[in-house]
Amino acid sequence: MTRTPARLQERVRKGAPRLTQVTRYEVYTARQLDRIAPLARLPEETRFAIRVVAQVLPFRVNRYVVEELIDWSRVPEDPVFRLVFPQREMLSEADFERMAGVLRAGADARRVREVADEIRAGLNPHPAGQMALNVPLLDGTPLPGMQHKYRETVLFFPSQGQVCHSYCTFCFRWAQFVGDKALRFATHEAEHLHAYLAAHPEVTDLLVTGGDPMVMKTKHLAAYLEPFLSRPELARVQTIRIGTKSLSFWPQRYVLDEDADDLLRLLERLVAAGRHVAVMAHFNHWRELETPIVREAVRRIRDTGAVIRAQAPLLRHINDDPGVWARLWQEQVRLGIVPYYLFVERDTGARRYFEVPLARAWAIYREAVQRVSGLARTVRGPSMSAAPGKVEIQGVTRIGEEDVFVLRFIQARNPDWVQRPFFARFDPEATWLDQLEPALGEKKFFFEDAFAALQAARTAG
Ligand SMILES: *Cc1c(COP(=O)(O)O)cnc(C)c1O
Ligand code: SF4
């Protein structure tokens, strides 16, 4: 059983143990940069750059991140600072100068938004065909709050969960945070979710995602998840995953929030009903696991019988270092978290700032994995979430006279593609699948024709 929040809050009030300084939720957006006290100590030029980029990329940060995760004595190198505060180099020089000019000229909000939208349009707001290819149909009607790409797993984007406790500067879902409603996957329709799952017995996994579903009140989350406790037609959904960065950005959610205990009991009931409940946590750096409150949150979640699995992209300037990953995975294993995925930074948004060549990503992964025991080697990657599927770089090797990448699908639109090794010509600069060419004299990758046919069928339908 978990402790009641009242008792825990009492313990925190008495200071034993002191879990956190920040007990009240307070967020700052681009309009409230002046209220973030430590920013005032940075050079004017840095603050202006933050303001310029924050007009284009989503910006939001809460007090816990500012006061307990960022080490301001190490700014601007601090990894969590770069994770949430926009940096000048995240835009091209031309885009940066354009927005800087607009702000310097004191343009009105409408003009700023216009220019921001034009810059955003050039940043590939919807990578990997998410809109066109993944939205499922129920009786012929598209369900925009869901994605069904891989046979076993349906992604659900509850409308109340389409924000986050803070925004990551690298986020591939950034387009949905900047007010473009047309790009937003969201729905109020729990019934659609349940009806779709009932009609699709091949689906064993539900992945509730966002934004961050853990920004929702427990009662809203319960409206989506409680039917899994009682409805026989949903019994085939064995696994309920919740994708969240809240352990990192607001661990108070599981410890001090008013409905923290209700949330834990909801997880507990799903586990008791025989479900595998997985909190798919997102950690980019071991620093996010250092505070007493995140450790308490992890302990409380594990107490419910839910499993915590961890995933994150490899990002230049933040975690492009095998030492950082090895320490992150070791820390996760120590706390009972299962390392799951290491992703390649996607081809969207501020990729220019974060991207790492695939060859280097693989070298970092390999070196990090070599440093940890088998319990941390559950992590797969580096993996690219591309339109045909999740493609993992398994290695770089030489076959005959040719240097090649060895690749495989971890997940694919067609399950038959999974686990077939395939090869691409080695390219030290390539950062994404679309820059790779087939190796060993092949004209196409083995899946290309079948993928084109799938796409054509979907667009025609
Ligand atoms: C990664 C992903 C999943 C889950 O895949 P697993 O291999 O089961 O973790 C499901 N849907 C989409 C669209 C994904 O990108
Ligand atoms: S928490 Fe996740 S969805 Fe939210 S901004 Fe960060 S990466 Fe994006």
Side-chain angles (χ1 to χ4, degrees):
M1 267 308 287
T2 47
R3 273 189 294 262
T4 68
R7 272 185 57 198
L8 209 88
Q9 279 166 339
E10 186 60 27
R11 282 181 42 186
V12 173
R13 263 196 302 278
K14 288 181 180 152
R18 188 169 181 93
L19 293 170
T20 179
Q21 324 271 334
V22 179
T23 53
R24 200 160 48 84
Y25 195 62
E26 211 177 297
V27 293
Y28 312 104
T29 64
R31 261 174 275 124
Q32 293 141 354
L33 284 167
D34 293 342
R35 290 176 42 207
I36 304 174
L39 273 190
R41 297 196 293 271
L42 301 183
E44 166 57 25
E45 199 193 328
T46 311
R47 278 183 289 144
F48 180 66
I50 291 172
R51 203 153 72 80
V52 169
V53 183
Q55 308 303 318
V56 179
L57 298 171
F59 172 77
R60 180 183 167 97
V61 66
N62 73 59
R63 245 184 72 205
Y64 169 73
V65 176
V66 170
E67 293 184 13
E68 297 187 47
L69 289 189
I70 295 174
D71 177 354
W72 288 91
S73 71
R74 299 189 56 227
V75 166
E77 282 79 31
D78 183 80
V80 184
F81 175 72
R82 289 175 161 165
L83 192 61
V84 293
F85 281 90
Q87 312 288 312
R88 182 190 175 110
E89 298 78 18
M90 288 177 184
L91 294 182
S92 70
E93 193 56 34
D95 285 344
F96 183 90
E97 282 310 327
R98 186 160 175 229
M99 182 54 86
V102 168
L103 292 189
R104 281 195 202 101
D108 60 19
R110 201 181 50 85
R111 181 67 192 142
V112 171
R113 206 170 336 111
E114 258 171 33
V115 172
D117 283 341
E118 283 169 30
I119 297 175
R120 286 169 189 151
L123 299 176
N124 190 22
H126 262 261
Q130 294 175 66
M131 291 301 281
L133 288 173
N134 301 344
V135 173
L137 306 173
L138 182 64
D139 303 326
T141 309
L143 302 174
M146 292 165 58
Q147 283 186 40
H148 192 183
K149 181 171 178 181
Y150 307 130
R151 189 174 55 192
E152 295 79 17
T153 305
V154 160
L155 266 51
F156 178 58
F157 299 76
S159 54
Q160 308 95 327
Q162 299 312 302
V163 289
C164 302
H165 289 292
S166 292
Y167 286 145
C168 309
T169 40
F170 65 82
C171 180
F172 77 92
R173 298 233 166 97
W174 62 277
Q176 73 198 32
F177 305 135
V178 291
D180 188 343
K181 298 282 194 297
L183 291 178
R184 212 178 266 202
F185 301 109
T187 177
H188 282 283
E189 318 259 19
E191 306 83 64
H192 282 173
L193 169 70
H194 300 135
Y196 185 81
L197 292 174
H200 288 266
E202 75 277 17
V203 176
T204 56
D205 287 41
L206 167 66
L207 171 46
V208 184
T209 181
D212 192 331
M214 291 302 192
V215 302
M216 280 194 270
K217 291 265 181 257
T218 300
K219 64 175 187 226
H220 294 131
L221 195 60
Y224 296 114
L225 297 183
E226 267 173 350
F228 291 88
L229 295 169
S230 55
R231 297 215 202 139
E233 73 275 18
L234 297 176
R236 275 177 302 228
V237 181
Q238 298 165 5
T239 300
I240 294 173
R241 307 191 213 177
I242 303 172
T244 181
K245 200 166 168 66
S246 54
L247 275 167
S248 188
F249 284 163
W250 188 248
Q252 287 84 339
R253 180 70 191 92
Y254 307 91
V255 183
L256 299 173
D257 276 8
E258 232 162 45
D259 55 354
D261 247 34
D262 299 336
L263 172 62
L264 297 171
R265 275 193 214 106
L266 174 64
L267 302 183
E268 225 163 46
R269 270 154 49 223
L270 289 163
V271 172
R275 278 352 195 278
H276 179 109
V277 177
V279 173
M280 306 303 291
H282 185 164
F283 297 108
N284 299 92
H285 196 281
W286 49 261
R287 284 269 303 283
E288 296 160 64
L289 283 165
E290 297 266 283
T291 63
I293 182 104
V294 68
R295 291 175 179 200
E296 177 65 7
V298 167
R299 194 192 65 71
R300 299 190 97 217
I301 293 171
R302 293 189 63 226
D303 252 14
T304 69
V307 178
I308 308 174
R309 294 179 196 274
Q311 54 190 36
L314 196 159
L315 305 160
R316 189 154 60 96
H317 300 301
I318 291 184
N319 61 18
D320 57 336
D321 170 354
V324 168
W325 284 97
R327 182 161 171 190
L328 174 65
W329 296 333
Q330 275 163 341
E331 194 56 31
Q332 287 170 352
V333 169
R334 201 170 69 78
L335 295 172
I337 301 171
V338 183
Y340 189 60
Y341 276 137
L342 179 154
F343 292 119
V344 176
E345 162 62 0
R346 293 171 72 140
D347 50 342
T348 180
R351 77 181 289 192
R352 57 173 38 259
Y353 183 82
F354 294 113
E355 69 187 0
V356 172
L358 298 173
R360 186 151 173 263
W362 172 69
I364 290 171
Y365 170 82
R366 177 167 170 261
E367 206 183 308
V369 147
Q370 286 176 349
R371 293 188 199 179
V372 296
S373 91
L375 291 189
R377 293 185 190 175
T378 48
V379 64
R380 288 171 298 163
S383 168
M384 291 175 273
S385 293
K390 280 189 170 69
V391 176
E392 185 190 55
I393 298 138
Q394 293 217 279
V396 174
T397 192
R398 195 171 177 84
I399 299 182
E401 298 291 287
E402 203 173 335
D403 289 323
V404 298
F405 283 115
V406 185
L407 306 168
R408 67 153 174 165
F409 281 103
I410 295 175
Q411 269 299 359
R413 277 181 201 279
N414 180 345
D416 187 51
W417 302 344
V418 173
Q419 298 291 6
R420 289 179 192 275
F422 64 106
F423 304 95
R425 252 187 266 152
F426 179 71
D427 175 349
E429 310 289 326
T431 56
W432 196 252
L433 186 64
D434 59 2
Q435 297 157 16
L436 296 182
E437 299 290 340
L440 309 173
E442 299 281 329
K443 295 263 177 308
K444 289 177 181 172
F445 291 119
F446 78 91
F447 57 88
E448 276 187 66
D449 286 340
F451 178 54
L454 271 175
Q455 267 177 313
R458 190 62 209 254
T459 349

